[in-house]
Amino acid sequence: MDDKLADDEARRSVQHGSVKAQVEGEVQAEIADRASQGPPPGEARKIDEVAGQFRSKAVNEVVDTEREVERGRGAARISQVIDYIFYLLYALLGMRFLLALLAAHSSAGFVQFIVAVTNPFYAPFRGIVNSPSTDQGHTLLLPIVVAIIAYVILHLAINGLLRLVAHRKTQI
């Protein structure tokens, strides 16, 4: 995801640079053209109006592109923070799953820490399905598997929404 966002940001920056260069080139060409020849009689006003419209449109496009690039950068940064938070959540829930599967002692400090940190995220899924266990205390916490799947779906939905916000709308 980060590579896609970085590639998209790089592509947009290149596009922005080319639009800026094109606008500068057009303005310079217009100035050079006007300097080399005068307008036909009676059309100077019409040429000025058309040139003003083109110039205004070009400037507006550059401003719009600049805003979209900034919005894309902000959305990319938010996406990175969200990714970090969800990856941390996946790691903690995975650790709790592994500790239960290995029958870790619930009195151990690390086990208590993992359980305390993950309880708010695990609580909505507790009891959804049975958790089979052995006589030795090894437990397969299937609700954690359901929780991880639900959080992956939520994670994908949030990142999809951010892509919608950052996506540039092309007009023809």
Side-chain angles (χ1 to χ4, degrees):
M1 288 290 186
D2 288 339
D3 291 341
K4 288 181 183 178
L5 289 173
D7 290 345
D8 189 43
E9 183 177 327
R11 182 182 55 79
R12 287 181 187 217
S13 293
V14 168
Q15 286 176 341
H16 177 67
S18 69
V19 168
K20 283 174 81 172
Q22 182 180 358
V23 168
E24 289 173 357
E26 290 173 0
V27 170
Q28 290 173 357
E30 181 184 335
I31 291 170
D33 187 44
R34 282 197 179 180
S36 67
Q37 61 180 346
E43 290 189 17
R45 184 172 154 216
K46 192 176 196 180
I47 291 172
D48 287 340
E49 288 176 12
V50 171
Q53 290 172 355
F54 282 139
R55 189 177 304 113
S56 176
K57 183 177 179 183
V59 168
N60 287 340
E61 286 178 7
V62 169
V63 169
D64 289 344
T65 301
E66 186 72 29
R67 285 183 189 143
E68 289 171 6
V69 167
E70 287 302 317
R71 187 176 65 218
R73 286 182 183 147
R77 180 60 60 199
I78 291 170
S79 178
Q80 289 173 338
V81 170
I82 288 172
D83 286 346
Y84 178 77
I85 291 169
F86 272 99
Y87 293 147
L88 186 62
L89 177 62
Y90 301 149
L92 291 170
L93 288 173
M95 182 63 68
R96 182 170 177 168
F97 178 80
L98 186 62
L99 291 172
L101 190 61
L102 297 175
H105 296 287
S106 60
S107 61
F110 182 72
V111 174
Q112 290 176 350
F113 170 75
I114 294 294
V115 169
V117 169
T118 58
N119 264 342
F121 303 103
Y122 174 62
F125 303 96
R126 183 176 282 127
I128 285 182
V129 292
N130 290 333
S131 299
S133 59
T134 65
D135 295 335
Q136 293 84 17
H138 302 279
T139 305
L140 182 62
L141 285 177
L142 291 178
I144 286 186
V145 174
V146 173
I148 290 173
I149 292 170
Y151 287 123
V152 165
I153 292 169
L154 179 63
H155 184 189
L156 291 173
I158 291 171
N159 274 338
L161 182 64
L162 285 173
R163 273 192 300 279
L164 285 176
V165 168
H167 182 68
R168 181 177 180 190
K169 294 158 188 76
T170 305
Q171 295 179 351
I172 298 176

